[in-house]
Amino acid sequence: MSKTMSKSHNVSEAESCIHGAANRSSRRSERRRADVEDPFGRALEYFSQVKAGTPVKGNDALENNLVLVERVALGRGLPPGAVATLLDFALSLRLGSSVCSRVLKFLIPASAVPQDSVVRGVSWFCMGKMPVSAQILFLRWILTMFDLIDSKDQLRSIYGFIFSFVTDEVLSPYVCHLLYLLTTKEHVQPFRVRKLLEVQAKMGRQPPLTQLLALYKVLCPEMIAISMPSKTRGGFKNHNLPWKTALAAVLKKNKTAEAPSPPLSLDIKEKASTRKRKLHHLEVPQLSCGPEIESSRGKAVHLQQLRSFAQLLQNLDNIELPAQMGSLLSSSLALHYLDCVHDESALLRLNFWLGSVLHEEFLFCSRDGNPENSTEPSQFLDICLSLPQECFSSSEFFLFKFLAMWDGSLHQPQILSLLSDIPPLPVSRMKMFLFEPLQQLYFTSSVFFKCGVIECLRSMLWKWLTWHFVQTSHKELDVSLSSSRTMNLHMSEFLELVTELVQYVGRLASAGLQLENYHILLHHQTLNFYELVCDVYLKFNLPLFLLPPSGVIFPSLLATDPVTVDRLGYVIFRYRQNLMSAKEHKQQKKEPSFHISRDVFREFNLLMVAVVSCLWISKDCQVDVGTDVHKALVPLRTMLSYCKNYNLIHHPAFLNYAIEFHQKCWPEQTNVDLSSIQGKKYWYWYLEFLFSQGFDGLKDFIQNNMDHQSTPVGGH
Amino acid sequence: MSTLKPFSKIPELNSANVLLVENEEQFQKKLADVIVNAEKDVSVGVRLARRLPLPVENEETRPCIDLVVFIINLSFERSFQSVELSLKYVDPGFFLGKVCFLVTGARCWSVSSDRLQSVRKLATSLRCPLLYAEDQTVEGVNTAAARLLRVLKVTAGLTPWATGLSLSTLTRCTLSSDLEGDFD
């Protein structure tokens, strides 16, 4: 707390020493101004020398100087020296608290805030003379400017002083936030933990306090025994409102004044230049930093300063994260860095930030907001989607809340993709928060939405299976990809969940197909899902055999579109391969844990019989739909006569192929008699003809299930 | 003062009629325009009312109502109360798949979650679907209209293989426990 920079004539020197080469142009202009007896310099001199007790009312000199400095501050920002002078002037309360808050409100730094001045400000703060409103304003100012403070080591060394204010009920939220930004592992001490718990007991679970504790727990888990709610609603509020627009304008101006250096990070989002919304702060903060950092633990480096990958590798251990975690979202480099260093506290902070922003923006919209401007929120959701960390618990929490009041079209693509990122959770929770609301939306929405939902659930299942596969097959590897989405499910729970999901999709698909009059798109989406499900054993080593319900199989079997029948053939073929290899495996290994229910085989055989008798045998068709339909309800006699029309020749999906084949075989015959194909020789030619048309699924199905010598019964 | 009955009138061929009940009369007009213009295949009639019971004067000319939609604007306390009062004038037969609730303003920050919860409770106790709509955007209105039309066509018997009761069973509102408390 030694150095002060209050003399106005050495402003430019002080600036250059802190500032280095970063802002040479402004330094040059500073010097030029000093040469011409600049009024700004004189104003600063006035503020540094003004005596306590000088009258405020009717003091023209003060008023003029204030107006002058304010204009400069809002125009192009204040140089570091001036910030120091003004901060000292304001917080010393030499001219009362109203002047203090007025100065604080326009204290916009052009580039950096010298740490010394902040430390000095904190010492004024600790003297206890400031009124509470000024104290709050000062804390909010620090929080807003935190990234611009040139280094934080001295601030960290007075951590204890700041911590002592945690007991103050009014200041506590701001103090907690500041501490949250400053805390490192060394700061977490038993006596501090005790204090925080005490405060929590007194004031209740306030979000800022809880989050500070959560950070402590992440840094030193052994010290905090109490369980933390993993999802805290709302995070730290953004305290930057009084300065936000002015600061953004100044930073932008200064940025364009400098020659822009090409950033290493891939910017996902260009900043919107015009912003009309007031309440919302959805924008991803820019990565900003003080110009240079010297810290006691060696040189810390801001992400923004890195220019090459080699530089990143060199400084991997010294990278200092910005105060606004949200700013990391705009840089994919930063996100990958986070992923690779496994920084729990950073992930936690990012999680909180994301949670509060999502919550404020999407669940607490103001009625009078500009509703037409919906590109920005969806851009933001796009950014959330592109996170390599996949699903933060806060975004999952947000999704469940949002889903409960979703109309099904707002940001539909983004929401559906985010939904597919949801990690496996216990079945009861999944049912309540995902399946139920989604089902209500599904059945009242258009067929395209239905397809979207099925696709989303397919991709969700695929992610779960992949995750499970990696986890089980590489036990020696540490595959806790990111701790924020650790799957705490036992194997049995996981199996139960997958079963539930597949059955859920089965219900959605069969009822949806019926409602949509067997829409072909929905058909294919459903079969797409089952193409994943049928291969679960062979591809993901999960002993789970879940057949599609009759409501999916039979409409596909009797579809008028040949590709649907072909895909069904492929699905059944893959089921067969999976069951066969599971059976072999069981006989070889004789593992007691490995158990396939007899019902699965029985069900599959019934399915096979039904499909084969329909496509192949045609006469002895015994469509046994299983136990789903009561025998008395199905007029078997009448059905038998229709069944004949669904063999590969008369099937509506293949009818045109049969006719084409017939014309090729008997070109001179004008009277098309399709039953003549059923002769042994022609039947196989016909099959070859069908296979040559690209029906590979059907080919696999027939070649693996049929004895090649058998002919369809009911031929000539 | 009479209750609204589902089968008191003979339905007409290829037509469907929906009754939109909204106390504030803000959203129903927009919705009605879109619904009428969106459907080309069958003739869709939209009747608007602030509350039930419907006046006796028009009893004769009123067609057979296939679906009653109660629109609840969560921004107004009165909206929910008015719907609660109107429900008394709906024949129990309607609740077998011919009533649904449409909620607007659920994402509004000024709305307390208690109000939403009480609407959910109401819909759950009556076993009716509860739809959410974005009434501020054109796209939101279109989506809401399309969804209502979909339900209407089912309840009017214009969708093969489906009845209002079956759809309502699939989509009826379920009361989930509060997310906040349960999620940790």
Side-chain angles (χ1 to χ4, degrees):
Chain A
M1 292 195 203
S2 54
K3 231 166 47 179
T4 55
M5 291 162 289
S6 48
K7 293 285 186 298
S8 64
H9 54 262
N10 64 10
V11 157
S12 57
E13 280 86 349
E15 187 198 359
S16 69
C17 94
I18 291 164
H19 218 168
N23 206 347
R24 208 157 273 165
S25 64
S26 84
R27 198 183 70 176
R28 224 179 288 131
S29 63
E30 197 79 12
R31 191 167 289 162
R32 204 183 317 126
R33 247 181 288 127
D35 291 341
V36 207
E37 273 291 311
D38 65 323
F40 180 63
R42 267 185 291 141
L44 286 182
E45 195 166 0
Y46 174 84
F47 286 122
S48 65
Q49 287 170 351
V50 68
K51 292 272 181 313
T54 311
V56 178
K57 254 190 184 161
N59 188 342
D60 284 346
L62 171 71
E63 186 59 34
N64 288 342
N65 286 330
L66 274 176
V67 169
L68 176 79
V69 177
E70 183 172 10
R71 204 172 54 224
V72 174
L74 298 179
R76 53 169 199 268
L78 297 166
V83 172
T85 310
L86 286 170
L87 196 60
D88 193 47
F89 162 74
L91 296 179
S92 64
L93 297 180
R94 266 176 276 174
L95 296 186
S97 55
S98 63
V99 176
C100 164
S101 50
R102 183 170 166 190
V103 172
L104 275 179
K105 273 178 188 157
F106 66 69
L107 205 56
I108 309 288
S111 54
V113 177
Q115 177 181 224
D116 299 316
S117 65
V118 180
V119 171
R120 203 177 157 79
V122 173
S123 72
W124 285 116
F125 178 88
C126 292
M127 278 171 69
K129 277 187 184 170
M130 290 162 77
V132 180
S133 63
Q135 281 182 320
I136 291 179
L137 196 65
F138 175 54
L139 284 174
R140 287 171 62 179
W141 184 82
I142 300 184
L143 290 171
T144 310
M145 307 304 168
F146 192 82
D147 280 340
L148 298 175
I149 300 175
D150 50 12
S151 69
K152 280 107 188 171
D153 53 332
Q154 286 183 29
L155 270 177
R156 291 208 169 99
S157 60
I158 55 165
Y159 189 89
F161 288 96
I162 304 172
F163 188 87
S164 63
F165 287 92
V166 122
T167 46
D168 189 310
E169 251 178 78
V170 187
L171 297 179
S172 161
Y174 308 100
V175 172
C176 282
H177 193 171
L178 184 58
L179 292 175
Y180 183 82
L181 296 176
L182 288 173
T183 304
T184 56
K185 203 171 159 107
E186 303 90 75
H187 292 128
V188 185
Q189 298 293 339
F191 66 89
R192 289 202 178 116
V193 174
R194 231 173 297 137
K195 192 87 201 163
L196 283 183
L197 290 176
E198 229 170 76
V199 174
Q200 197 186 38
K202 206 174 83 187
M203 296 199 277
R205 285 202 161 190
Q206 290 182 353
L209 198 61
T210 319
Q211 289 187 25
L212 185 60
L213 267 171
L215 180 68
Y216 274 31
K217 192 172 168 134
V218 165
L219 292 171
C220 293
E222 69 282 357
M223 267 190 225
I224 301 171
I226 59 160
S227 71
M228 280 293 143
S230 49
K231 293 91 201 170
T232 317
R233 196 183 122 182
F236 294 113
K237 296 228 162 40
N238 279 341
H239 305 297
N240 55 5
L241 282 181
W243 300 280
K244 187 185 164 190
T245 37
L247 187 64
V250 166
L251 286 180
K252 196 179 164 195
K253 211 177 196 174
N254 292 351
K255 203 178 173 190
T256 47
E258 287 173 39
S261 49
L264 176 62
S265 55
L266 302 161
D267 282 333
I268 296 169
K269 183 190 169 192
E270 287 294 311
K271 269 181 79 88
S273 50
T274 52
R275 306 189 57 80
K276 284 175 190 161
R277 313 158 85 203
K278 284 174 193 161
L279 244 163
H280 303 193
H281 25 259
L282 186 61
E283 74 193 288
V284 173
Q286 271 183 318
L287 262 178
S288 54
C289 60
E292 208 171 297
I293 301 148
E294 296 285 346
S295 91
S296 52
R297 292 170 298 158
K299 203 170 152 76
V301 184
H302 274 302
L303 274 171
Q304 187 77 340
Q305 293 168 317
L306 299 175
R307 290 284 168 269
S308 68
F309 192 66
Q311 246 179 336
L312 172 73
L313 289 180
Q314 273 170 11
N315 295 305
L316 205 57
D317 297 326
N318 302 327
I319 287 177
E320 178 152 321
L321 294 168
Q324 282 262 29
M325 283 314 273
S327 60
L328 289 182
L329 289 186
S330 59
S331 151
S332 66
L333 178 77
L335 289 168
H336 285 290
Y337 162 73
L338 267 190
D339 223 21
C340 119
V341 295
H342 274 279
D343 187 347
E344 285 270 351
S345 62
L347 287 174
L348 184 81
R349 283 168 59 188
L350 197 53
N351 191 15
F352 280 140
W353 184 85
L354 204 61
S356 71
V357 171
L358 286 170
H359 206 271
E360 274 178 50
E361 186 62 26
F362 295 97
L363 299 174
F364 280 86
C365 301
S366 65
R367 280 299 263 202
D368 52 331
N370 186 1
E372 297 300 332
N373 185 8
S374 67
T375 53
E376 244 173 77
S378 51
Q379 270 176 0
F380 182 78
L381 288 177
D382 278 332
I383 293 178
C384 293
L385 267 175
S386 60
L387 297 182
Q389 279 80 10
E390 293 193 329
C391 193
F392 281 99
S393 57
S394 60
S395 80
E396 181 188 303
F397 178 65
F398 152 76
L399 276 175
F400 287 152
K401 283 216 88 166
F402 188 75
L403 194 62
M405 47 184 78
W406 191 27
D407 75 335
S409 81
L410 193 69
H411 314 307
Q412 185 187 333
Q414 287 88 0
I415 295 291
L416 283 180
S417 337
L418 277 175
L419 279 179
S420 72
D421 278 342
I422 290 179
L425 298 170
V427 175
S428 58
R429 195 180 291 176
M430 266 320 213
K431 264 188 181 168
M432 189 180 289
F433 298 128
L434 181 68
F435 293 173
E436 296 269 354
L438 202 56
Q439 177 172 345
Q440 288 159 25
L441 281 164
Y442 175 88
F443 284 112
T444 50
S445 297
S446 70
V447 65
F448 304 108
F449 181 81
K450 289 189 172 85
C451 292
V453 167
I454 303 269
E455 173 56 26
C456 150
L457 294 173
R458 191 198 71 85
S459 124
M460 181 157 93
L461 179 64
W462 182 76
K463 281 172 194 164
W464 291 357
L465 291 172
T466 313
W467 203 86
H468 168 84
F469 180 70
V470 173
Q471 208 189 29
T472 48
S473 57
H474 301 280
K475 280 199 176 111
E476 70 281 4
L477 274 174
D478 176 30
V479 282
S480 54
L481 294 168
S482 114
S483 54
S484 55
R485 77 179 247 129
T486 324
M487 186 175 76
N488 297 318
L489 287 184
H490 295 296
M491 185 62 184
S492 62
E493 279 180 305
F494 182 69
L495 282 179
E496 190 191 351
L497 179 63
V498 172
T499 313
E500 183 61 38
L501 175 68
V502 174
Q503 285 172 350
Y504 172 70
V505 174
R507 288 196 298 275
L508 288 190
S510 31
L513 279 171
Q514 203 179 34
L515 264 179
E516 295 298 337
N517 210 3
Y518 305 100
H519 198 284
I520 189 163
L521 210 54
L522 193 56
H523 242 138
H524 280 285
Q525 212 61 61
T526 310
L527 287 171
N528 216 3
F529 180 81
Y530 281 104
E531 272 178 21
L532 174 68
V533 174
C534 66
D535 256 347
V536 163
Y537 179 70
L538 281 179
K539 282 196 180 148
F540 299 98
N541 200 17
L542 198 67
L544 203 61
F545 305 93
L546 297 159
L547 297 178
S550 311
V552 172
I553 293 172
F554 290 101
S556 314
L557 183 62
L558 308 179
T560 50
D561 154 51
V563 183
T564 313
V565 185
D566 179 61
R567 289 188 83 174
L568 179 72
Y570 175 75
V571 167
I572 296 176
F573 162 68
R574 289 306 302 178
Y575 269 117
R576 187 171 182 275
Q577 299 297 94
N578 276 266
L579 279 167
M580 296 288 271
S581 91
K583 207 174 170 183
E584 271 170 36
H585 182 84
K586 195 183 172 187
Q587 281 162 355
Q588 282 169 6
K589 296 275 176 73
K590 295 199 166 58
E591 280 177 51
S593 62
F594 193 83
H595 174 72
I596 312 168
S597 160
R598 292 180 71 88
D599 287 349
V600 175
F601 287 104
R602 202 184 60 84
E603 206 185 325
F604 180 74
N605 286 336
L606 276 175
L607 167 69
M608 283 293 288
V609 169
V611 175
V612 169
S613 57
C614 179
L615 292 181
W616 194 268
I617 307 170
S618 77
K619 193 181 180 186
D620 289 342
C621 173
Q622 294 275 328
V623 179
D624 189 349
V625 208
T627 48
D628 295 351
V629 184
H630 195 272
K631 283 268 186 312
L633 291 176
V634 187
L636 217 55
R637 289 272 160 214
T638 44
M639 257 183 93
L640 282 178
S641 61
Y642 289 117
C643 268
K644 205 174 170 183
N645 297 332
Y646 282 100
N647 66 11
L648 280 175
I649 299 164
H650 294 99
H651 195 291
F654 297 102
L655 195 61
N656 58 341
Y657 292 97
I659 293 174
E660 195 185 336
F661 179 75
H662 191 274
Q663 281 169 346
K664 279 186 178 163
C665 284
W666 299 279
E668 65 285 349
Q669 246 181 52
T670 48
N671 192 9
V672 179
D673 176 24
L674 289 180
S675 49
S676 54
I677 303 177
Q678 272 174 346
K680 186 168 182 173
K681 191 173 65 177
Y682 292 109
W683 175 257
Y684 285 107
W685 284 355
Y686 175 61
L687 286 184
E688 288 300 322
F689 171 73
L690 277 186
F691 299 159
S692 73
Q693 303 293 314
F695 294 116
D696 291 338
L698 211 58
K699 185 176 173 182
D700 287 335
F701 172 72
I702 289 175
Q703 288 184 345
N704 280 278
N705 288 308
M706 301 303 160
D707 181 3
H708 268 261
Q709 300 310 310
S710 74
T711 29
V713 184
H716 287 274
Chain B
M1 288 288 181
S2 61
T3 57
L4 193 64
K5 289 200 169 63
F7 304 115
S8 58
K9 295 274 174 61
I10 294 167
E12 283 167 50
L13 196 62
N14 287 334
S15 76
N17 294 290
V18 59
L19 175 65
L20 304 179
V21 185
E22 188 196 20
N23 189 43
E24 284 73 32
E25 296 184 299
Q26 291 176 345
F27 189 36
Q28 56 174 198
K29 186 78 184 55
K30 285 192 263 181
L31 211 52
D33 288 341
V34 180
I35 290 179
V36 170
N37 291 325
E39 184 53 46
K40 298 277 182 277
D41 297 340
V42 293
S43 74
V44 172
V46 182
R47 316 285 289 191
L48 305 180
R50 277 195 73 171
R51 62 180 78 86
L52 298 182
L54 297 173
V56 188
E57 300 89 69
N58 302 331
E59 189 75 50
E60 292 301 309
T61 55
R62 192 176 301 134
C64 171
I65 301 285
D66 298 299
L67 178 69
V68 185
V69 181
F70 290 100
I71 301 170
I72 301 173
N73 191 333
L74 286 184
S75 308
F76 303 102
E77 184 84 48
R78 186 87 195 100
S79 188
F80 177 62
Q81 291 164 351
S82 156
V83 165
E84 266 186 324
L85 292 176
S86 300
L87 279 169
K88 290 176 189 164
Y89 300 98
V90 180
D91 187 85
F94 263 110
F95 292 100
L96 298 172
K98 293 188 175 216
V99 173
C100 86
F101 293 94
L102 189 72
V103 164
T104 64
R107 300 193 302 126
C108 178
W109 53 267
S110 56
V111 170
S112 69
S113 58
D114 297 345
R115 215 177 278 174
L116 181 61
Q117 201 61 14
S118 51
V119 175
R120 277 203 188 125
K121 269 184 194 146
L122 179 72
T124 311
S125 66
L126 295 170
R127 310 198 155 214
C128 291
L130 176 59
L131 311 183
Y132 295 85
E134 304 287 327
D135 57 341
Q136 302 290 307
T137 58
V138 178
E139 198 195 351
V141 177
N142 289 343
T143 311
R147 292 176 73 193
L148 282 185
L149 199 58
R150 184 164 289 272
V151 179
L152 174 66
K153 281 168 104 176
V154 172
T155 55
L158 299 171
T159 308
W161 319 109
T163 63
L165 189 56
S166 68
L167 184 67
S168 157
T169 321
L170 289 171
T171 57
R172 71 180 172 215
C173 181
T174 45
L175 200 61
S176 62
S177 65
D178 196 21
L179 197 58
E180 312 273 319
D182 199 75
F183 200 74
D184 294 331

